[in-house]
Amino acid sequence: MNNLQANNQELKYKKFIIAVSILIPIIVAILFAVKLKDFGIHVEPLSFLPPIYATINGITALVLIVAVMAIRNGNQKLHQNLMTFAISLSVLFLGMYVAYHMTAERTIFGGEGAIKGIYYFILFTHIVLSIVIIPLVLITYVRALSQSFDRHRKIARITFPIWLYVAITGVVVYLMISPYYAH
């Protein structure tokens, strides 16, 4: 695929990437605030989900690392499959995360002192970067699909560490707040 074809391919996805990058955070914020009980739907809190979606975050981090190792070893097909799997894991995480928060009350971090500041710093950076990572992942993926590998590599160098940070801090946030979940 030549550069012109690759650029046309990317342009074809541009509106989709913009729409998804805006809509996902807005929808998640709205659904995070919505509780099913507010609509008369009684559902027990899905309290079994946080350790599952934290595990999914951990698996995502491992998949990202192995995918980078695969491409560095020249295994493009394995890299492609692993990156598609990482995206699927992220979508699965998002669904579980929203489902949990639509059925459970907000959990307040109970730590005090320096640990409280550390927790909120990690949580804040995790949330902000989880929003930032959406368009980065989509652009990186589209550049690979359009076989614009030079441009793919360029943005992947930015996408990878941010996505890895989001995945790892997702686990850290869970581990730090899990003692305060209502059971």
Side-chain angles (χ1 to χ4, degrees):
M1 187 176 292
N2 67 36
N3 283 342
L4 182 60
Q5 289 172 319
N7 286 339
N8 286 339
Q9 179 93 5
E10 283 184 47
L11 285 174
K12 193 167 73 174
Y13 289 102
K14 186 176 182 177
K15 288 179 184 173
F16 172 78
I17 291 170
I18 291 169
V20 168
S21 299
I22 292 169
L23 288 174
I24 286 178
I26 290 171
I27 291 169
V28 169
I30 291 168
L31 293 177
F32 193 86
V34 169
K35 301 294 181 220
L36 293 178
K37 68 178 182 169
D38 297 339
F39 298 95
I41 302 170
H42 180 70
V43 176
E44 288 297 314
L46 301 175
S47 55
F48 64 92
L49 286 179
I52 295 171
Y53 63 67
T55 302
I56 289 171
N57 264 330
I59 294 168
T60 301
L62 293 173
V63 168
L64 291 171
I65 292 166
V66 174
V68 168
M69 291 168 47
I71 200 64
R72 286 187 178 156
N73 290 329
N75 193 336
Q76 188 175 2
K77 188 64 178 167
L78 178 60
H79 173 77
Q80 179 183 349
N81 290 338
L82 289 170
M83 294 311 297
T84 301
F85 183 49
I87 291 170
S88 300
L89 287 170
S90 293
V91 170
L92 183 61
F93 160 83
L94 187 59
M96 288 183 186
Y97 180 80
V98 169
Y100 170 74
H101 285 285
M102 289 180 73
T103 63
E105 295 301 317
R106 185 169 169 250
T107 302
I108 306 295
F109 182 73
E112 295 182 13
I115 197 72
K116 187 173 189 172
I118 292 168
Y119 170 78
Y120 281 108
F121 173 79
I122 293 169
L123 179 63
F124 177 77
T125 58
H126 172 78
I127 291 168
V128 169
L129 292 175
S130 71
I131 294 167
V132 168
I133 199 61
I134 296 167
L136 289 174
V137 167
L138 294 173
I139 292 166
T140 305
Y141 196 72
V142 165
R143 287 183 179 176
L145 287 176
S146 64
Q147 298 179 5
S148 183
F149 295 119
D150 287 342
R151 296 179 72 222
H152 168 78
R153 271 189 295 278
K154 200 179 247 185
I155 196 166
R157 287 187 175 108
I158 298 165
T159 304
F160 169 72
I162 295 172
W163 195 357
L164 185 61
Y165 179 85
V166 168
I168 291 170
T169 56
V171 175
V172 172
V173 165
Y174 166 74
L175 291 173
M176 291 181 81
I177 197 148
S178 63
Y180 307 105
Y181 281 123
H183 297 287

